[in-house]
Amino acid sequence: MSEILNTVSQGILTLSLNRPGKMNALTREMYAGLTKGLNDAAGDFGIRAVVLTSEGDHFTAGNDITDFMNNPPSSESSEVSQFLSALLNFPKPLLAAVKGNAVGVGTTMLLHCDVVVAAPSANFSMPFASLGLVPEAGSSFLFPQLVGYQRAAKIFFTGESFGADAALEMGLIAEIDPDSVAAVTRLALHIADQPPQAIINTKALLKARQHDAVAAVMKAEFEIFAMALQSDEAMQAFMKFMSKKGKS
Ligand code: COA
């Protein structure tokens, strides 16, 4: 069974993270699957919107830490870089349904989505600094822009998590719904009924002002992130996670 489930219905592509036993922690193969799904959908006239969702009780625990240790992404051809680029450049409506933990890139990818609906169980966190790393996916620019510098700095510096109510108040998500998948799918179907070129043009206009700035920030973040992955601070944090439950 693939770790990215890919289903198409009524013009909506749903990409579902399917590694629930590991809290949907994202491997290189999963990033590659997401990138392919997004890039194929971008070029397929029949697809009007994409929904990101997950199997099990959680959205994702972020990047797989074993992958970070064994195969740290070091160039812009890496799977994670390709995924972030596909996210940034995706021209059609991108929606997400979030429940449970959304850690690291599980939260930062939402900054690129057009509409996010979260279940009351959703819990967001970006513990990059706590892991000896730095914010990624353009979040060092997009998150303070969304929530204000002070609140962003506090969240990045402490690694503290926040729930669905706080995410709604910040504007990270559009709605809270106990059945976030059903709510997002209803919305995606509604959007899919709209004139498609007008929707694509509207998204391009909404994103135009900051597209190049985000691309430049992502590039800078990636360079620092790749160095940080090799640091003692990161190694110690990863070893601590691995030793927590005798993980290997
Ligand atoms: N990479 C690899 N495996 C992960 C993972 C990750 N990022 N997050 C969770 N898992 C795995 C655990 O190893 C465990 O697998 P096991 O049952 O085979 O040991 C399973 O998913 C469940 O996680 P567990 O830690 O037992 O759940 P928990 O409820 O006690 O804790 C978290 C949940 C999210 C707090 C904890 O899993 C965690 O801190 N994960 C790492 C998050 C992270 O730092 N991500 C990178 C961000 S850049």
Side-chain angles (χ1 to χ4, degrees), residues 19 21-23 25 61-66 68 101 103-105 127-128 131 133 225 241 244-245 247:
R19 199 184 174 216
K22 294 286 181 187
M23 220 174 264
N63 202 105
D64 186 285
I65 288 187
T66 312
F68 262 163
N101 287 321
V103 185
V105 72
F128 302 111
L131 290 167
L133 302 173
F225 197 99
F241 173 74
K244 204 177 66 170
K245 289 183 188 144
K247 300 169 206 284

Side-chain angles (χ1 to χ4, degrees), residues 35-49:
T35 303
K36 181 166 170 25
L38 288 177
N39 289 343
D40 288 353
D44 181 343
F45 184 74
I47 301 294
R48 300 292 165 85

Side-chain angles (χ1 to χ4, degrees), residues 41-99:
D44 181 343
F45 184 74
I47 301 294
R48 300 292 165 85
V50 171
V51 170
L52 298 174
T53 183
S54 59
E55 305 302 303
D57 296 333
H58 299 277
F59 188 54
T60 170
N63 202 105
D64 186 285
I65 288 187
T66 312
D67 251 16
F68 262 163
M69 295 179 75
N70 296 340
N71 302 295
S74 58
S75 78
E76 284 175 30
S77 61
S78 63
E79 289 81 355
V80 63
S81 249
Q82 297 286 313
F83 168 62
L84 297 179
S85 168
L87 260 187
L88 175 65
N89 294 304
F90 189 63
K92 299 180 182 178
L94 181 60
L95 297 87
V98 178
K99 63 193 156 183

Side-chain angles (χ1 to χ4, degrees), residues 1 5 7 20 32 34 51 79 83 96 98 102 131 143 146 160 163 167 173 183 189 195 204 206 226-227 236:
M1 179 71 91
L5 301 181
T7 48
L34 290 170
V51 170
E79 289 81 355
F83 168 62
V98 178
L131 290 167
F143 195 56
L146 183 69
E160 71 189 27
I173 65 173
L189 286 169
L206 283 167
M227 280 193 289
Q236 278 168 21

Side-chain angles (χ1 to χ4, degrees), residues 115-152:
V115 185
V116 181
V117 178
S121 65
N123 190 49
F124 305 86
S125 60
M126 295 177 282
F128 302 111
S130 312
L131 290 167
L133 302 173
V134 295
E136 38 71 311
S139 60
S140 62
F141 174 83
L142 291 169
F143 195 56
Q145 184 187 59
L146 183 69
V147 304
Y149 178 87
Q150 298 254 333
R151 197 148 50 149

